[in-house]
Structures are given as structure tokens and as C-alpha cells.
Amino acid sequence: MGKSRTKRFKRPQFSPTGDCQAEAAAAANGTGGEEDDGPAAELLEKLQHPSAEVRECACAGLARLVQQRPALPGLARRDAVRRLGPLLLDPSLAVRETAAGALRNLSACGGFEVCDDMVTKDIMTPLVALLKECSAGLDSNEMSLQEKKDQNRNSIENIANETVNVLWNICECSSRAVSIFNKEGCLEIVLKYLSRFPTNVDLAISVAYCLQTVTEDNPELLKSFSATALNMLESALLSPVSSMESLLLKTLVAGTIWNLKDIIPCKSQAEIINALLKILSEVLGMDAGEMVIQMKEAETQRLKTAAEAEEILENTNGDDLIEDDEMEGISHKRRVRRKTFISDLLPPTDKELRETIALLTAQQTALEIIVNMCCNEDPSDDEWEELSSSDESDAFMENSFSECGGQLFSPLCLSHEVHTALTNYLIPKKIFEKTAFPNSIAVDLCSRNPTWKPLIRKMNTIQCRALFCLQSLVSLLDVEHLGGAAALQTLAQHLSQLLFSQPDFAKHVDFLEAISSALRALLQTMASKNISQCMTPDQLMTLCKAGIHSSNVGVRVNVVSILGITGSVLAKEDGTLETLKNIGCFLLEVTTKDPSLVVAGEALDALFDVFADGKEAERASIQIKLLSALKEFQPVFKMKIRKEGRGNYSTDQLCVLDNVKMNLRRFIAYQETVEKRLTS
């Protein structure tokens, strides 16, 4: 109702295998939750075993088991969290790592309820203690570098990585966990881990994800950012790109720095925003489809070369027996490799796949950051208050960004700087390109390889994020910055082609929500600037008839809004009577039959727009008996708001619905004058 609100993004829940829906396979095989208590009970019992190896194997088994959703209730009944928690401080480093891995998978696959329950069961106490012990361990010289290399699975950095991931997942789902993060001084610890980005990019990426989560809407934490802390973020942000993983790290750090905008002096904002958008532009400028093709070819060639080398080695050895010493060495290597992955925290991935995933994730993250930068929500009263004025913070700003001012960001000047940087770095053009369907060759390559197949979903997600990003840009930027009227018409044709090239577009809910949001914003801008629309009446009704049956409320709101925007334009043109009658009948049906008051309110708003003015609109309203239909619906709408509103809708939604109710009364009065004039 009214202007569409920009969609804000939070990061997706981590999934250790790319899909936590292992229960589907269990159901297909006839195995269900009734058998889950058996292995759960046995594994939990082994957590108390005196042998460290048995405890490690039990943790590893639980790490796999928690990926099966039917197993979660049984684990909760048996208090798995309280039994795993103490093992985070187990004397064995291997047990600590696998226990953290099991909790990581549990927090990732269990979702909000499980994470909140983990906080209730005081998992944060051993978790924070382990964070501090790992931090102290990184400062000690207990292990030589060679020992660390040989005992990689037990390394302190690996344990820290798993621990940070648990912390990240829980803080994403629980405000209580974020509060504990603040109070326990976890910021300083994770920043120490981040400082190891030159040698351990995996750990740095985990920290960057965690920081991006805990710095969002957390003014208390912002007060803790010292000059040293900000310098560390700056070092990571400005580090050279040596791999796609390092590019992902820089992207995540950019998102964290954007969350810290409230503590950056006003005079430094242009430099900061330019630095952030330069990185995001670099990320979006890369062709992910070509990257997939190149990396898949590189993997194929590497595996072929390795197979040929192995064949040569076998032919050289012939049937001779391998010496005992050699066999012992080979067995040891295999045993170490197996134990490296025994906890099943992440599937082993080859370097080409890891690099490709890192790029795709960086592009998705970059798009989400831009959407949040463009978010047009009004700031709350205290959102822009001064949060940090310490001498140390001010000194950092002087040293790092050359210009220092007493003022902080204001929404007005922030918006101007974002607009300028977006256009300077050609962000709109790069986002337009990302709205296209993924490279068909890349999709075909991935579809034929099980380990690469999940990348298809990631590429589709990038397209959807780009469409949401497009919605934000169209709502935010001037027409000139978007390329002028001709560019908008071309863009509208492009979106129409995207939509109608998919005969079953209504089945793809994420895509339909994203493209309908983009179309809604674009058509609204074109209507406000008197730029001719691009969709034919038939296309318009096809979209609306498909979208209105979607289970997604956002899709239904978008399609009725699109109908209202287009109908209000057609109402001022001649020869549109039949189309307006179809639009009116459709909107009336949605108004009276949709189960959501939000959708019904949007449909009423659309009716007000379509039939507010114009001779054709007046004639159409008489012929479809709009006045009598609205008079009959008015008391029903009032009753629904009174009975269903409280508890089912937010305060903002109820305010908007009350406004629609008032406008309905006024519109009925207007329609009465129209009918009297035309029928007298």
C-alpha cells in the first residue's frame, strides 16, 4: 500500500553440505524419526567415554546426525547441548574441534528455535571460554610451526574457526547471544583472529561473517570499536586480492564497515563509501558464468593429469609388493586425511570449486550490501545519534581517512554520497547484467556433476538478489542516473522477456517475488515520469492471474500494485474501457477473497488509483458496479481489521490498513458523485 519498501537482507543460514534437508532422503528410504533416538542415545553416551578417540568419534557422529531434521527433537529431549558444551573445553584438542563442529552443524540446521534453546542452555559460557583459550593459544609458543602443520586437525586455528562459526550462527538467531557477545568482550578476540587473514583466509572469512552479523543494529557494540579495531578492518579491506576467497573476505569486511557508518565522521564518508563501492563494483564486474566454466575445465584437467600420473606409477610398480616402510607411510597419510574430515563439518572441496563458490558468495553478498545501502526506510529517532566520540576513535579517523569532522553521517548527505558512488562505479549497469538468467553452459556443466550442482541454486539466487537490487536502484536514483527514459523502457522490455520466457514462472516463488518487485518499482517510476509503459494488457493479466495464487504474500501485493499502476495510466487514455473493466473486476475479486488483509488493502489502494480519474475509468466503474460492491464490502473490511488485525499484523501494517479504511469511505463518497452525474 503506497510506495513499496526496499527489501533488506540478512545473511542466509550456514549449511554444512549446502542442504540441511537430509530428512527427505530418510523419508524416501522409509527411515524416520522413530529410529533416530537409537544412534542419538548411543552417541551421547559415548561423549562421556574415558578415551579421547571415542569422544571425538561420537562428536563426529553427532555432527552428521544433526543434519537430519527428524533427529533434532530426540537430541533436544536428551539434552545434547548441555552434554556437548563441556567438550568445548575437553583436554583433547581433537575433541574440542569435533564438538565445536557438531554444535556448528546443530546451530546451522536447527534454525532460530534451536539456537535460542542453545543460549537458554548456557552454551555461550563454554563457547566464550573456548574463544578466549584459543586467543591465548595463538599468543603462546607451545607448538612449533612444524608441529602445527603435522597436526592440522588439532590446530588452534581450526578450533577457533569452528568456534567462530557456532558463535556466528547463534548470534544471527538470538539477540541474547549478541548481548553476551558485547558484554564478554568477544570483539577484541575475533578481531585477533581476523588479523591472521594473510595466512588463514578461512578463519578470517568466518570472523568477517560473524562481524557482519553482530555489528548490524548494535549501537552498544559500536562503542567498543577502538582505533586498533578499525585499523584492522581497514587492513583487511585494502589487502591485495590473491584469490576469490580473499575477494569474498574483502566483500564481507565492506559489509561490516557499512554497519559501522554511525561512528564515521561526516567529512570522511565520501572516501569510505567510495572505497566500499569500488570493491563491490569489482566483485560484480566479474563474469561468474565464465568463472564456472573455466574452473570446471581446470578441475577436469587437473583430475585427468592426476589419474595419468597414478596410472604411470602403478605401471612402474607393476605387481611388486610395496615395502613395509612405504606401506606404513601411505597408510599414515590416508589415516590423517580421513581424520582431517572425520567430523564431517564441511565436505572436502577441491580448490577450483572453493574458488568458484567464493566468487558466487561474494557477488550475492555484494548485492545484499547494496540493497541495504539503498534501504529507504526512515531512520528511527536514535538511529543517527552519536555513538562514539572517544579520543581514540577520532584519532583513528584522522590517521586513516585524512579528513576529520565532528559530525557523523546524516541520512541526507549519506544518500547523496551513495548516489554519486553508485553511478561513478557503474553499479547500475553491472546489476542490470546480473538480472539475466545464469549462463546456460555453466548450468549444464554443473548439472552433470553432483559436487557442482548446488552452484546452480547459487547462480539463481544471484539473479534474484540482482532483481531486488534493481528495485532499490530504480526507487532511489534519478532517471538520468539510470540512463534516461529510453534506458528504462529497454529495462522494462528486458524484465518482461525474463518473465514470459519462463512458461512456468509462477512455480519459481523466489524469482517471481524478485522480478515482480523490480517491475513494480520500475513501472511506478515510469508512470511518475510519464514514460510509456511496456507490458501489453494480456501480459499484465497473465502475470496477475498467476501471481495472485502464489503462497507468497509479497508476490500477491506486488501484482495488485502493478495492476493499479498500469491501470491508473490506462485510465487517462482513450479506448481502454474493456481493459479497465477487466482490471476492476480482478481487483474487486482480490479485495473480497484474499485471506490476507495486507493484500486486500493493497488491492483497494489499486482500485482507488485506477478509478480516481478519467472518462474511461468512470464509465468502467459504472459498468462493473464498483460502488455497490465497495459499499457491500466496507463493513466486512472494518470487521476483519477489528477481529483479525490484533496479533496477526504489525503496528505499521495496522496503521496503513486504518488509512485504507478511511480512504475507502472517501472513495465511496467520490464514486457516489460520479454515478449520480453519469446516470442523471
Side-chain angles (χ1 to χ4, degrees), residues 3-21:
K3 286 190 71 175
S4 60
R5 173 168 288 187
T6 304
K7 188 181 183 77
R8 292 195 63 169
F9 288 102
K10 290 181 177 289
R11 66 100 184 170
Q13 279 289 290
F14 168 83
S15 171
T17 61
D19 184 3
C20 283
Q21 305 303 318

Side-chain angles (χ1 to χ4, degrees), residues 53-318:
E53 286 194 5
V54 173
R55 296 197 301 275
E56 179 189 357
C57 288
C59 290
L62 287 169
R64 288 188 290 270
L65 185 62
V66 298
Q67 295 175 38
Q68 302 175 27
R69 197 172 296 276
L72 295 178
L75 290 168
R77 284 195 304 272
R78 297 179 182 277
D79 222 3
V81 173
R82 291 191 193 277
R83 297 168 79 169
L84 276 168
L87 297 185
L88 292 174
L89 302 174
D90 193 273
S92 166
L93 293 179
V95 173
R96 292 186 183 195
E97 184 180 346
T98 49
L103 289 166
R104 171 184 179 171
N105 286 5
L106 180 62
S107 60
C109 296
F112 285 87
E113 286 187 11
V114 168
C115 287
D116 196 57
D117 184 58
M118 291 172 76
V119 178
T120 301
K121 292 178 177 174
D122 199 27
I123 195 61
M124 291 296 287
T125 296
L127 196 63
V128 171
L130 181 55
L131 275 175
K132 293 178 178 178
E133 285 201 17
C134 288
S135 177
L138 291 177
D139 292 334
S140 70
N141 294 316
E142 293 177 5
M143 281 188 175
S144 70
L145 291 176
Q146 187 58 43
E147 285 174 326
K148 282 188 178 182
K149 183 176 179 181
D150 292 341
Q151 301 179 28
N152 183 53
R153 70 188 177 95
N154 294 336
S155 74
I156 295 173
E157 289 187 357
N158 282 354
I159 298 171
N161 189 27
E162 299 304 333
T163 308
V164 169
N165 271 280
V166 180
L167 187 67
W168 163 32
N169 288 335
I170 295 176
C171 286
E172 177 69 21
C173 299
S174 169
S175 59
R176 290 184 296 161
V178 174
S179 180
I180 295 170
F181 183 99
N182 295 346
K183 292 175 182 176
E184 292 292 335
C186 295
L187 176 63
E188 184 179 349
I189 299 171
V190 297
L191 283 170
K192 180 186 288 187
Y193 299 158
L194 180 64
S195 69
R196 307 184 86 80
F197 70 85
T199 57
N200 193 335
V201 71
D202 287 341
L203 175 58
I205 286 173
S206 297
V207 170
Y209 269 122
C210 187
L211 284 173
Q212 198 178 20
T213 293
V214 297
T215 54
E216 186 172 5
D217 300 326
N218 189 357
E220 182 184 345
L221 184 65
L222 266 57
K223 299 174 186 176
S224 304
F225 271 86
S226 63
T228 303
L230 292 166
N231 266 317
M232 174 49 58
L233 291 175
E234 185 187 17
S235 298
L237 185 72
L238 301 178
S239 62
V241 174
S242 57
S243 65
M244 293 301 105
E245 289 171 312
S246 64
L247 192 64
L248 171 59
L249 173 63
K250 288 163 70 77
T251 306
L252 293 167
V253 171
T256 298
I257 292 176
W258 175 254
N259 289 343
L260 302 177
K261 58 186 177 294
D262 292 343
I263 63 171
I264 298 174
C266 190
K267 289 185 179 179
S268 300
Q269 65 184 265
E271 191 171 354
I272 296 293
I273 291 172
N274 272 282
L276 301 185
L277 284 172
K278 182 179 180 182
I279 290 168
L280 302 184
S281 177
E282 180 183 353
V283 170
L284 294 176
M286 302 186 74
D287 189 328
E290 284 300 317
M291 178 75 170
V292 169
I293 295 169
Q294 291 172 14
M295 289 293 102
K296 190 69 189 72
E297 289 176 351
E299 181 194 64
T300 302
Q301 185 58 47
R302 178 175 58 78
L303 294 175
K304 180 182 177 183
T305 302
E308 290 173 350
E310 186 176 348
E311 185 179 354
I312 292 171
L313 183 62
E314 287 177 355
N315 291 337
T316 301
N317 288 334

